[in-house]
Amino acid sequence: QVQLVETGGGMVQAGGSLRLSCAASGGTFRFRAMGWFRRAPGKEREIVAAIDWSGTITYSADSVKGRFTISRDNTKDTVYLHLNSLKPEDTAVYYCACREVIYGGRYVRSSDYDYWGQGIRVTVSS
């Protein structure tokens, strides 16, 4: 059973930066695609970024393209989300997610993922 723990959230002013980390345990992390999602107040959960098992194929939602970057370190069983040029509309609870099936590409639907972290709050003030 894969377990995911997110860290690095908090409150930041608009234009600032954060780095979210998601540490995985209990499974073969290095062979699994990962994703970051977020749920803003009053909105549906949405994909933010995704990465394949090797780290060579990534996806970023249009709303964050050029500002957020997903990466992973398979030697540390950790995936990162680098958040730059933050805006108040980026305020949300951010979740990392992991697939059960190994290998494959990058995946952007919630239903593609089997394991979820508890979520971590990011608040951007104007």
Side-chain angles (χ1 to χ4, degrees):
Q1 180 88 7
V2 173
Q3 294 182 320
L4 305 172
V5 178
E6 301 102 336
T7 57
M11 182 177 293
V12 64
Q13 288 189 327
S17 298
L18 285 173
R19 187 184 76 167
L20 305 184
S21 300
C22 174
S25 62
T28 50
F29 169 83
R30 70 180 70 92
F31 301 132
R32 302 177 191 271
M34 302 290 293
W36 283 97
F37 291 76
R38 68 185 180 185
R39 177 174 284 154
K43 295 188 177 181
E44 299 284 323
R45 184 168 58 187
E46 62 176 357
I47 180 72
V48 177
I51 191 166
D52 79 319
W53 67 275
S54 68
T56 57
I57 304 172
T58 62
Y59 166 87
S60 295
D62 288 343
S63 59
V64 305
K65 198 164 292 183
R67 300 188 298 120
F68 293 8
T69 302
I70 188 171
S71 64
R72 67 190 296 160
D73 185 342
N74 285 347
T75 66
K76 297 181 179 179
D77 288 351
T78 301
V79 64
Y80 304 97
L81 185 67
H82 307 263
L83 298 77
N84 297 310
S85 302
L86 281 159
K87 304 175 181 180
E89 51 263 44
D90 295 318
T91 294
V93 177
Y94 285 72
Y95 301 87
C96 72
C98 178
R99 281 175 59 80
E100 170 68 25
V101 176
I102 61 175
Y103 299 123
R106 87 298 183 268
Y107 300 88
V108 300
R109 299 176 303 180
S110 296
S111 58
D112 292 326
Y113 293 90
D114 303 285
Y115 302 104
W116 293 83
Q118 80 286 355
I120 192 160
R121 187 172 301 277
V122 172
T123 303
V124 184
S125 61
S126 57

